[in-house]
């Protein structure tokens, strides 16, 4: 069955760039939307952005100036880059299949921004 | 502050029914499909309802979804202690060209 797995550093320094990758296994990245969603500790879900397998993207307006989502079909992966991070970006980051999540989610990866 | 409005908490006794509301606007709920997610403590969200009222395979029919105008509702019947979780609604916002979630509702089964 199709599975998603987030990977990347769990600790990022303030003002630096957060980079995460979501690997899709057991299925193709083609023909779907893929999204990144985060959840600060003890808080609700926040949609970060999504990408269609062709590369078309949409981003949360509040993060748009700092976010880039890309897809690598050869590796069956999609990635998230968030620049100029601060403590407010500390969160559990999920990747998911679908424009706003869907039936398939990764387990999530905690990213802490340190000063 | 979330684009979609949910009550922070709801509660009901085992075996009873509960509804969770999700209020939005014409740019989101009014013209797009709504999804509902259940998040048990320490786990990733799980899709309960998609396209307003459809259940993915494996989701019991105790869970139901509906939409009217700019609001959506999740219904859960035959409440079980295992239903205690946070519930989120989500949809697309055509004006923002972005996904949006509600702030989440914590369900307590007394």
């Amino acid at each position: 069955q199709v599975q998603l797995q987030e990977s990347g550093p769990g600790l990022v320094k303030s003002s630096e760039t957060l980079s995460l990758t979501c690997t899709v296994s057991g299925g193709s990245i083609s023909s779907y939307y893929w999204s990144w969603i985060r959840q600060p500790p003890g808080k609700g879900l926040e949609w970060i952005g999504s990408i269609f397998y062709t590369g078309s993207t949409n981003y949360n307006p509040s993060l748009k100036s700092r976010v880039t989502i890309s897809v690598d079909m050869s590796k069956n992966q999609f990635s998230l880059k968030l620049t100029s991070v601060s403590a407010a970006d500390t969160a559990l980051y999920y990747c998911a299949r679908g424009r706003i999540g869907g039936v398939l989610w990764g387990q999530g990866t905690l990213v802490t921004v340190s000063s | 502050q979330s684009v979609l409005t949910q009550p922070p908490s709801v509660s009901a006794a085992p075996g009873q029914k509960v509804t969770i509301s999700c209020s939005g606007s014409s740019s989101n709920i009014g013209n797009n499909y709504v999804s509902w997610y259940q998040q048990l403590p320490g786990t990733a969200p799980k899709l309960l309802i998609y396209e307003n009222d459809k259940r993915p395979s494996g989701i019991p029919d105790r869970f139901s979804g509906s939409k009217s105008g700019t609001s959506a509702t999740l219904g859960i019947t035959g409440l079980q202690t295992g239903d205690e979780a946070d519930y989120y609604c989500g949809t697309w916002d055509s004006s923002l060209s972005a996904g949006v979630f509600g702030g989440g509702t914590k369900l307590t089964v007394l």
Side-chain angles (χ1 to χ4, degrees):
Chain A
Q1 71 280 23
V2 182
Q3 293 184 315
L4 308 182
Q5 179 66 58
E6 304 91 349
S7 59
L11 188 63
V12 181
K13 291 183 178 179
S14 182
S15 79
E16 296 190 344
T17 297
L18 178 161
S19 296
L20 296 175
T21 296
C22 183
T23 300
V24 180
S25 60
S28 174
I29 205 166
S30 298
S31 306
Y32 290 102
Y33 281 99
W34 304 91
S35 52
W36 286 99
I37 293 155
R38 71 180 183 180
Q39 186 171 35
K43 297 188 178 181
L45 302 175
E46 180 180 30
W47 184 85
I48 299 172
S50 64
I51 188 165
F52 195 45
Y53 76 102
T54 55
S56 173
T57 55
N58 290 96
Y59 299 129
N60 185 322
S62 68
L63 299 171
K64 190 172 185 176
S65 64
R66 299 193 292 129
V67 173
T68 303
I69 296 175
S70 59
V71 64
D72 186 336
M73 293 188 64
S74 67
K75 295 182 178 179
N76 233 32
Q77 296 176 334
F78 64 104
S79 299
L80 168 70
K81 290 190 186 299
L82 181 65
T83 63
S84 304
V85 298
S86 68
D89 296 309
T90 292
L92 192 55
Y93 284 76
Y94 293 103
C95 60
R97 191 178 78 182
R99 212 172 190 189
I100 50 166
V103 72
L104 287 177
W105 292 64
Q107 64 184 20
T109 187
L110 178 63
V111 178
T112 301
V113 177
S114 68
S115 55
Chain B
Q1 189 161 347
S2 303
V3 172
L4 305 180
T5 301
Q6 297 181 233
S9 63
V10 296
S11 62
Q16 296 299 304
K17 174 182 178 179
V18 71
T19 60
I20 298 173
S21 61
C22 177
S23 178
S25 68
S26 59
S27 66
N28 42 67
I29 291 178
N31 283 284
N32 293 285
Y33 286 125
V34 176
S35 299
W36 287 93
Y37 296 92
Q38 176 194 61
Q39 188 176 34
L40 297 169
T43 68
K46 177 182 180 180
L47 182 66
L48 290 179
I49 299 289
Y50 68 100
E51 291 182 5
N52 302 333
D53 57 10
K54 296 180 174 60
R55 288 186 309 275
S57 174
I59 301 300
D61 59 7
R62 300 190 299 108
F63 296 90
S64 63
S66 64
K67 188 181 95 168
S68 178
T70 59
S71 293
T73 302
L74 173 70
I76 311 173
T77 60
L79 278 171
Q80 303 171 2
T81 55
D83 295 331
E84 285 202 335
D86 293 322
Y87 292 83
Y88 296 90
C89 57
T91 188
W92 190 254
D93 191 297
S94 303
S95 293
L96 297 174
S97 291
V100 291
F101 287 105
T105 298
K106 183 175 183 60
L107 168 64
T108 301
V109 181
L110 301 169

